[in-house]
Amino acid sequence: MGHLAGCGTEDALATLEAWMAAYGTDVLNVAYSYVRNYHQAQDIAQDVFLRALTKMDSFRGESSVKAWLLSITVNRCKDHLRSWSVRHEVHDEEQVALSRAASDTEAEAVGRLERERVWQALQRLPVKYREVVVLYYMRGLPGHEVARVLGISEQNVRTRLHRGRALLREMLDEGVDRHERL
């Protein structure tokens, strides 16, 4: 594990704990946006932080820690999705829906339904658009860091954001039109 042997181990573990506290939710949410399974996303998040611990000395500070961790997450998710076992299993895409509580008020229920509708539309986007939208809007990364995380140009990020938003808008409008016809 490189520099983790000896007296630097405690410092490395303290740094890792701080990163997990600060960015754990972001890593988990990005992983979930790819694999659409909460338990797999948790496994990937754990793997990301283990990899970060072992590669801590390779972090050169060219990007933020958050961007570096999310880059590891994206790469780990893509590896996971390419694996034979994932391509040959049945996905449980709506496991998160099991934890929905009964609505307290009508306003909360409407808000929850709208967020769920947007989330479902987001999950139907092709990966190349979904990953940019999630990193930019949901994880709050600026365009240049999204580009670095995904290994694409900033222009590509802007193009994918534009197309992703247009597809989302189309899907959401389609849902409204279909609902109004019923």
Side-chain angles (χ1 to χ4, degrees), residues 66-109:
K66 181 177 179 179
W68 181 64
L69 290 171
L70 293 180
S71 180
I72 295 171
T73 305
V74 167
N75 290 330
R76 180 63 189 96
C77 287
K78 288 180 178 180
D79 290 345
H80 175 78
L81 292 172
R82 279 191 294 263
S83 72
W84 183 90
S85 62
V86 169
R87 291 192 319 253
H88 292 87
E89 71 183 25
V90 177
H91 289 277
D92 180 12
E93 295 183 15
E94 295 304 326
Q95 226 167 12
V96 170
L98 296 176
S99 64
R100 299 285 183 234
S103 63
D104 299 344
T105 67
E106 186 177 342
E108 281 183 33

Side-chain angles (χ1 to χ4, degrees), residues 5 16 19 38 52 67 80 86 88 105-106 123 148-149 158 173 180:
L16 183 67
W19 288 355
Y38 186 71
H80 175 78
V86 169
H88 292 87
T105 67
E106 186 177 342
Q123 294 304 313
R148 186 173 285 134
V149 165
R158 287 189 293 274
D173 289 348
E180 287 174 355

Side-chain angles (χ1 to χ4, degrees), residues 6 25 43 46 100 102 107 114 122 129 137 143 146 167 173 180:
T25 301
D43 290 345
Q46 288 175 354
R100 299 285 183 234
E114 186 61 24
L122 182 64
Y129 301 130
Y137 288 109
V146 172
L167 284 171
D173 289 348
E180 287 174 355

Side-chain angles (χ1 to χ4, degrees), residues 10-30:
E10 286 182 31
D11 291 341
L13 291 175
T15 299
L16 183 67
E17 284 182 26
W19 288 355
M20 290 171 67
Y23 308 115
T25 301
D26 293 322
V27 167
L28 183 62
N29 287 333
V30 168

